[in-house]
Amino acid sequence: MKRKSFLLVSFVLFSLLISAQKPTADPIEKKINILINKMTLDEKVGQMFQIDPSAFFKSSSDVDEWIRKGKIGSVLNVIGAEKVNALQRIAVKESRLGIPLIVGRDVIHGYRTIMPIPLAMSSSWNPEMVAMAMHVSGKEASSDGIRWTFAPMIDISRDPRWGRVAEGPGEDPYLASAMAKAMVEGLQGEDLAASGSIAACAKHFVGYGAAEGGRDYNTSLIPETELRNIYLPSFKAAKDAGVATYMSSFNDINGIPASGNRHTLHDILRNEWGFNGFVVSDWGSIAEMINHGFCATSKDAAEKGINAGVDMEMSSSSYIENIKTLLDEKKISIQQINESVANILRIKFKLGLFDHPYTSVSTEKVLLTDDNLKIAKEMAIESAVLLKNDKQTLPLSKSLKIAVIGPLADAPHDQMGTWVFDGKKADSKTVLPAIIEKLGATQVVYAKGLSISRDKSVSGFVEAIEAARNADVCVLVVGEESILSGEAHSLAELHLQGKQNELIEAVAAVGKPVVMVVMAGRPLAIGNLIPKVDAILYAWHNGTMGGPAIADLLFGDAIPSGKLPITFPKGEGQIPIYYNHKSTGRPADIKNWTPLDKIPVEAVQHSLGNTSHYLDYGFEPLFPFGYGLSYTTFAYSNLKVSKNVIPMNGLVEVSVDITNTGKYEADEVAQLYIHDRFGSITRPVKELKGFKRVSLKPGETKSVSFTLTKTELAFWNNESKFQAESGDFDVWIGSNSVEGLKGSFAIK
Ligand code: NOJ
């Protein structure tokens, strides 16, 4: 009898052990299983905890002690090979199991060599270039001990009031997916363990960019079809590119906070997509579920976070405080904890941290190398968007005398943009010295006009006007300081801050040609200024090499080729405004717009033949998605659609000839849009489904072709199925979202 019960107990224990260890042939999985079986619960919970030591502990000896006890799995914001190695040495040599830390940092668009902000990089429509830029960022960061960055930020946003629009890829899921893939590949390389590769983090999962009213941290209301068709594709693209981690976001989606959202984190990310890296919460976003009113206590928050699928808690301590009790109360299971720990260890193994935990302190220059700066400059060139160029004001002749005016003409800190922790303003090359370097000091006269973008004093105007009088052309560099966009920096109004409008008017009144260069983290409402200036170059916050890039563009040493990744509204009242909107029952059209001032006095109540638009703003944006000029011109001709009818899941090829009809060799970004005319749910009036950057010499013609398959033609329907539907499609290839040659085909 005794022997029988002994056997039974042994069998149960053995089965329990087996269930914790999934049998596997994969060497990493084997190592994970062995390790998990050795870990105490405290050590497991420790892996699920990430802190910024200086924010969490009063003394550094506490950090060491916690690491020694295996109570911390990851730190953020510790930089420098020596500092990182010191902590890593404690983890590896002094903790019981020697599990290395994973060290994270926000390297959003550059470490020391700052690239243009992500929204700007997206304006390049050049994924290869973006991958190179992100690889530089990863390489620089890893030389300082950082093996994990909280990038790419791939939140779709249709609201430029949202400060974080600067950090993301813009409004379109197709372009954002291309950027997500490029950024993940650039950061992670082919092998996470290779030198210079760092783990990426697709954030913020999900729906953060849909914050109501563009107010940061605000609620998002996203129907399932919109979630799948608009907000999820960039995250899926990151998964397909092998992204190591995801970050759950601050917002709630349809009433459920993203960090406690089992539907998005478990059902979609894990089950549908098969993601096997780990999910980290955003800073305190587990504990913030209490503020959301979704959790009553920190214990409740830990339970919801774990049950949703957040593996690691950043900064708040709900997990470390409550996991034991939650297990005792059976609110969560040890299998869930083992899985989270396995997800974290998997990435640590893939990064090679167990074999090479330390950062080599080398004398070889990695930061700000000539190559890195060259990539940063090229990235800034390709990111700039030419919005206006009357009478070919640009490029400027190098023999002209130039008045350089404006608060951002020599603003080394601000041109770097938001989310810059490690870039130094001393390394930034601004517009003023770059123009002086090109033309010589005698040809340049400088007046700031305003000390900063928010300056409300006009005391500098006299000098600015004088500078304009003494020059042939004025280059006005205006916009917003870097701190006006980014996290928690939403704006209700998008006009230029301070007295910048007045400065532009005062300078324009002198009568010299005016080139307005805008440095900003978001689309600004600059419609009132369009008639007042001759040319507009939208440079965004364009990083360390922003100045030389702008100088090259202004004087024709480089040709603008950027295209807008987000619609520019005429004013805030038009928001949300985006190109891939629905048609409505009364689609807006110019013939049926009775503008405000044309409404007859005492008109009787009627709909005036009006459609879905505003009486004051109409329905068109200031600048449409995909828009951007060049110094040359391009003609599109000969659109060919390979088949009139294709079967379900068939493919169709669409091609066009593009000719450079101007006098500069330049790049054009050809864009393909489709319109699925009828659907089981209403379809957007246009959807980007392909783009290609082509270089053309003057007079040269190249044919550009695209293949459309189920991937491009299907959409997520009301039953959460990704399906194409039979019916007619329009297709355009053109220079932006409102122009283009049109063809059609049908699925039958
Ligand atoms: C909060 C931000 O939302 C997130 O993007 C960032 O990565 C973390 N803080 C860490 O700094």
Side-chain angles (χ1 to χ4, degrees), residues 76 106 150 164 203-204 247 250 282-283 314 419 487:
L76 74 159
D106 288 288
F150 308 122
R164 302 200 81 170
K203 73 182 189 187
H204 306 82
M247 183 186 289
F250 286 131
D282 202 342
W283 182 284
M314 182 193 285
W419 270 114
E487 185 179 349

Side-chain angles (χ1 to χ4, degrees), residues 723-743:
Q723 266 173 5
E725 293 179 359
S726 57
D728 294 325
F729 285 76
D730 298 314
V731 59
W732 296 260
I733 302 180
S735 193
N736 57 58
S737 63
V738 295
E739 290 170 32
L741 299 180
K742 187 175 175 186

